[in-house]
Amino acid sequence: MSEAEQGAGRVVIVTGGTRGMGRETAGYLARNGYRVVVNYAGNEAQANETVEEITAGGGTVVAKRADVADEVAVSAMFDEVEAEFGGVDVVVHAAGVMPVGPMVDFDLAQLDRLLNVNIRGTYVVNQQAAKRLRSGGAIINFSSSITRFSRPGYTAYAATKGAVQAMALILARELRGRDITVNVVAPGPIATPLFFEGKSQEVIDRISAEPPLGRLGEPDDVSGTVAFLAGPGRWINGQTLFINGGAI
């Protein structure tokens, strides 16, 4: 069975689906037959661009606005998707924020924002997914390989992503008997515009050389893994997959 056949007719919500790896993943899943809902927090223009891009490629996609940390808004989004498409099969939770800085100087207001979006947001979205997904469904959360790289300046961000990883196996066990898998992908550096922004060529070359494969990850390295977990990877459950070319 091809990837397109595996995705045919299945409905996926991708939070943070209008930028970065969320957008890349939404496009990949749409190209492989999924009916895609891209969630966004506030940038309507970016959401419209994403919908136009995926539609131009032949995909089925709609955009839905909701703050992932707002349980009322997230529940309403699921209601709308169920009314429009009949149900939800897969949730890819890619929404998150990444302010960085050493602990000694880190603004606690930024810490509160990180905790709210990255931890509470994951909990709220997973809670609704656990209530709503149809049998055979999948929940895939985004973490980061920074939890293993342990780079200075990422203390707060890594802590929130460690919390995301901690949820996976417990939620998978709580969903016993539902035929719903729960997994986490933890990418390393991926060659997206966001990665290259503000970095010198020297820094890019150094990071590119870290993996034994000698390159940065490509967006499809991550999206393809997500698609596998969403479809045929049914015997992978409660796990965190580090997608970084062996850099750790």
Side-chain angles (χ1 to χ4, degrees), residues 78-169:
F78 273 82
D79 287 342
E80 291 175 12
V81 175
E82 288 174 341
E84 191 164 343
F85 292 107
V88 182
D89 300 289
V90 178
V91 169
V92 178
H93 180 54
V97 294
M98 193 178 67
V100 298
M103 179 184 286
V104 68
D105 298 322
F106 202 73
D107 185 341
L108 293 183
Q110 288 281 58
L111 176 63
D112 289 343
R113 179 169 177 253
L114 266 167
L115 296 173
N116 188 57
V117 176
N118 292 5
I119 299 181
R120 179 184 170 89
T122 300
Y123 203 99
V124 167
V125 170
N126 279 236
Q127 186 177 62
Q128 286 298 317
K131 292 177 180 179
R132 310 276 195 135
L133 288 193
R134 295 186 281 210
S135 178
I139 300 170
I140 302 138
N141 293 313
F142 268 68
S143 177
S144 169
S145 286
I146 201 67
T147 58
R148 287 190 173 178
F149 289 151
S150 302
R151 298 191 197 279
Y154 287 85
T155 309
Y157 177 70
T160 66
K161 290 304 183 180
V164 171
Q165 294 173 23
M167 294 182 202
L169 181 56

Side-chain angles (χ1 to χ4, degrees), residues 202-240:
E202 180 183 1
V203 170
I204 293 169
D205 291 343
R206 175 176 56 77
I207 295 175
S208 300
E210 288 177 350
L213 295 176
R215 64 172 177 86
L216 294 172
E218 294 295 332
D220 281 0
D221 292 327
V222 179
S223 301
T225 303
V226 172
F228 178 71
L229 293 173
R234 300 302 301 168
W235 199 235
I236 301 173
N237 195 18
Q239 305 302 309
T240 298

Side-chain angles (χ1 to χ4, degrees), residues 1-8 10 28-29 32 34 89-90 136-138 140 179 181 183 223-237 241:
M1 183 183 293
S2 69
E3 285 183 326
E5 290 171 332
Q6 290 162 4
R10 283 164 66 81
Y28 188 101
L29 293 173
N32 286 283
Y34 285 83
D89 300 289
V90 178
I140 302 138
D179 190 23
T181 60
N183 290 292
S223 301
T225 303
V226 172
F228 178 71
L229 293 173
R234 300 302 301 168
W235 199 235
I236 301 173
N237 195 18
L241 276 63

Side-chain angles (χ1 to χ4, degrees), residues 161-176:
K161 290 304 183 180
V164 171
Q165 294 173 23
M167 294 182 202
L169 181 56
I170 296 172
L171 181 56
R173 288 175 171 172
E174 289 178 350
L175 293 176
R176 178 182 294 273

